[in-house]
Amino acid sequence: MDPVLISQELIRCQSITPQNEGALEVVEKYLKQLGFVCERFDFEGIVNLYAHRGSGRPHLCFAGHTDVVPLGEASLWKHQPFQGEIKDGQLWGRGAADMKCAIAAFISALSDVEVEGALSLLITGDEEGEALHGTQRVLPILAQRGMIPDLCLIGEPTSLNVVGDTLKIGRRGSIVGHLTCYGVQGHIAYPQNTDNPIPRMIQCLKALCSYEFDAGTDIFEPTRLEITSIDVGNNASNIIPQKINARFGIRLNILQKAEELCEVIQSICKTHAAEHELQLTIHGNAFLTKEQEKVSLIQRAVKVATGCLPALSTTGGTTDGRFISAYCPVIECGMREATMHQIDEHVALDDIWKLTEIYTSILKAFYLPEAFSSGREVQ
Ligand SMILES: [Zn+2]
């Protein structure tokens, strides 16, 4: 099966999250041809596909999503975002890098390899949005059925300069905060009758920003808080405002637990913000795949295809790995990250073929580890 043709077919589905627009049907069509049993899990109008073939162990699951982020400034696109245009050796379109071509590459790799054991794909239509009704909801059902795999391979973009140069074996967690400080509005010439919430907010944000959560680990950056917005909305030059809003985001590493971190934030705000309201939304804890043998096996499999041992990393945004890692080890390997979510998103055709080769090698390494570990080249 030609991974470029499948990629084009997927890009032609306008599956802006949480719309499906036929994207999962394309995946399903090819998987059925390859003998997979396809099952749908639909929650609140959001579609998810679980496809499986074979039984027993080993069991590898490929996880991904067919939904894509919106176009952004649509008029700035020089290439049609949903046409699957090929030009200058590149395939253009929304979702090319993140992550329709990876799904196509995996399907194509499947058509090339015979495996013993179980093989499954968990493809959701709800990753780029709130991710409430996707992978997170399917996993408990699979657990109940005893269908949790030995390893989950996620096809998110992970590569830096060359496809296959980097694997993600963990990701940071994320918390979003919204802080409002309240005061008493009044005339700036009569400050004794007012209570200005702005200095308190500045104090509080300074304390939050300078707080050293941790120093990071050998594979994780330090936990960091970034302010994303400060708003007063005060158009008058002689009024002390009644309130001020700020928003911030925290990317936390494996040394932190999101719930405990929230308590730290709450106590800093209590100390500095006086009358305030604080909303903290946890979007996941950090995770790290510690199964060295599995990581090393996948690293070596990638090397067979690329000639280079991939680096291990935990950078970037959150993925469904945060949910899956609670059930089984997770390794992410996909396209180059360069143009994901950008205007004129694209991937090189060569990269699609290279990723197909990488996935083929991973399948062989996973299902024939003896042949692979003994050093014989796995063909
Ligand atoms: Zn993605």
Side-chain angles (χ1 to χ4, degrees):
M1 287 179 179
D2 183 333
V4 175
L5 291 179
I6 303 172
S7 298
Q8 285 180 297
E9 213 174 320
L10 283 171
I11 288 172
R12 285 176 190 138
C13 305
Q14 302 197 15
S15 52
I16 295 176
T17 193
Q19 307 298 322
N20 175 46
E21 297 298 318
L24 283 180
E25 283 75 6
V26 172
V27 176
E28 202 171 86
K29 175 180 78 181
Y30 288 106
L31 290 178
K32 278 185 174 161
Q33 286 174 27
L34 293 167
F36 280 80
V37 176
C38 295
E39 205 178 334
R40 286 297 187 90
F41 293 100
D42 296 358
F43 305 108
E44 322 291 332
I46 295 204
V47 286
N48 299 283
L49 172 67
Y50 179 70
H52 62 101
R53 195 175 74 180
S55 60
R57 305 279 162 193
H59 177 183
L60 178 81
C61 176
F62 177 88
H65 62 89
T66 47
D67 59 328
V68 299
V69 292
L71 298 182
E73 200 53 63
S75 63
L76 294 180
W77 281 70
K78 292 196 189 75
H79 299 264
Q80 290 293 324
F82 297 113
Q83 220 163 61
E85 179 194 354
I86 290 174
K87 202 180 173 195
D88 305 325
Q90 312 285 327
L91 173 57
W92 303 81
R94 175 56 86 222
D98 186 8
M99 53 168 279
K100 289 178 167 176
C101 295
I103 294 173
F106 192 78
I107 293 172
S108 176
L110 284 173
S111 64
D112 256 12
V113 186
E114 287 288 325
V115 304
E116 292 269 339
L119 184 52
S120 62
L121 290 91
L122 174 52
I123 311 291
T124 178
D126 184 25
E127 198 275 342
E128 295 289 12
E130 291 294 310
L132 293 175
H133 306 300
T135 306
Q136 183 173 211
R137 291 193 65 176
V138 182
L139 288 165
I141 300 172
L142 300 183
Q144 215 165 31
R145 294 185 188 172
M147 287 163 107
I148 294 300
D150 303 305
L151 176 68
C152 181
L153 176 69
I154 301 184
E156 289 286 353
T158 58
S159 303
L160 201 58
N161 301 310
V162 180
V163 172
D165 64 2
T166 311
L167 302 177
K168 306 265 166 144
I169 56 163
R171 295 270 183 173
R172 289 172 297 174
S174 160
I175 300 171
V176 171
H178 191 154
L179 174 64
T180 306
C181 286
Y182 296 97
V184 178
Q185 185 188 315
H187 197 300
I188 58 160
Y190 301 86
Q192 67 277 19
N193 299 331
T194 70
D195 173 16
N196 193 341
I198 297 176
R200 280 188 274 116
M201 176 63 94
I202 291 171
Q203 274 301 322
C204 188
L205 291 177
K206 206 172 153 204
L208 287 170
C209 275
S210 56
Y211 191 86
E212 280 183 33
F213 297 98
D214 54 62
T217 74
D218 53 345
I219 194 157
F220 276 100
E221 292 174 53
T223 296
R224 214 187 302 276
L225 181 146
E226 293 291 340
I227 300 164
T228 50
S229 181
I230 304 176
D231 308 283
V232 179
N234 182 9
N235 295 321
S237 57
N238 56 358
I239 289 178
I240 285 171
Q242 187 259 338
K243 65 175 180 181
I244 171 169
N245 292 302
R247 276 183 291 138
F248 53 86
I250 303 166
R251 291 299 157 112
L252 56 138
N253 62 34
I254 202 80
L255 299 173
Q256 306 290 339
K257 285 271 162 288
E259 291 77 9
E260 289 166 21
L261 207 55
C262 287
E263 285 171 22
V264 173
I265 304 294
Q266 281 160 354
S267 112
I268 294 172
C269 291
K270 233 180 224 154
T271 307
H272 297 281
E275 194 192 344
H276 72 280
E277 205 175 315
L278 174 65
Q279 279 173 17
L280 294 168
T281 309
I282 297 172
H283 291 284
N285 269 300
F287 73 90
L288 178 67
T289 297
K290 295 192 181 106
E291 283 79 353
Q292 254 318 310
E293 258 174 57
K294 289 192 170 96
V295 171
S296 153
L297 182 75
I298 301 304
Q299 262 184 306
R300 283 179 289 131
V302 173
K303 189 184 172 187
V304 167
T306 64
C308 287
L309 201 67
L312 303 176
S313 162
T314 61
T315 57
T318 57
T319 64
D320 276 354
R322 68 195 139 139
F323 307 128
I324 302 169
S325 60
Y327 293 85
C328 71
V330 170
I331 298 176
E332 303 183 42
C333 175
M335 283 293 175
R336 294 178 58 217
E337 295 171 322
T339 67
M340 61 192 282
H341 294 206
Q342 290 188 1
I343 284 165
D344 286 321
E345 183 175 346
H346 63 279
V347 300
L349 298 184
D350 287 348
D351 286 358
I352 300 177
W353 288 103
K354 184 50 80 180
L355 190 60
T356 306
E357 216 182 303
I358 289 171
Y359 286 156
T360 305
S361 181
I362 288 176
L363 285 169
K364 287 177 179 171
F366 188 81
Y367 287 95
L368 299 164
E370 290 82 15
F372 192 78
S373 299
S374 69
R376 275 185 283 142
E377 199 177 357
V378 183
Q379 287 295 331

